[in-house]
């Protein structure tokens, strides 16, 4: 690639295109066990790519009080 700048630029453009189109995963609070009380502030997930999967609270075990602030998810 050092000897062929044009090829390097084309390859970089392809990598950026693939990254922009690849799905992404954003997870907050995955597999959390709460036995007492927990308070979590506001949560915001923002994805710049299309096809992103956004998860808040997966596999939660709550044996007490759980308070979560406002949740915003944007794509």
């Amino acid at each position: 690639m050092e000897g062929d700048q044009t090829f390097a630029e084309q390859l970089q453009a392809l990598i950026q295109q693939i990254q922009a189109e690849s799905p992404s995963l954003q997870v907050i609070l995955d597999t959390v066990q709460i036995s007492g009380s927990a308070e979590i502030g506001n949560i915001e997930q923002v994805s710049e790519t299309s096809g992103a999967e956004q998860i808040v609270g997966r596999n939660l075990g709550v044996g007490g009080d759980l308070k979560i602030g406002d949740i915003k998810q944007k794509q």
Side-chain angles (χ1 to χ4, degrees):
M1 288 190 350
E2 292 176 7
D4 190 346
Q5 187 64 31
T6 302
F7 174 74
E9 290 171 2
Q10 290 174 340
L11 183 59
Q12 185 62 36
L14 286 173
I15 290 171
Q16 289 174 349
Q17 181 181 357
I18 290 169
Q19 288 174 338
E21 294 177 9
S22 296
S24 66
L25 174 65
Q26 296 177 328
V27 180
I28 297 174
L29 299 175
D30 186 15
T31 314
V32 176
Q33 301 297 316
I34 300 169
S35 59
S37 296
E39 186 171 331
I40 299 165
N42 297 336
I43 296 172
E44 182 174 0
Q45 290 180 320
V46 178
S47 175
E48 300 294 329
T49 63
S50 62
E53 182 178 5
Q54 298 174 316
I55 299 170
V56 176
R58 177 171 65 182
N59 301 317
L60 296 180
V62 180
D65 298 321
L66 173 61
K67 181 178 179 182
I68 300 176
D70 296 333
I71 298 173
K72 295 180 184 178
Q73 295 178 310
K74 298 178 186 177
Q75 280 192 0

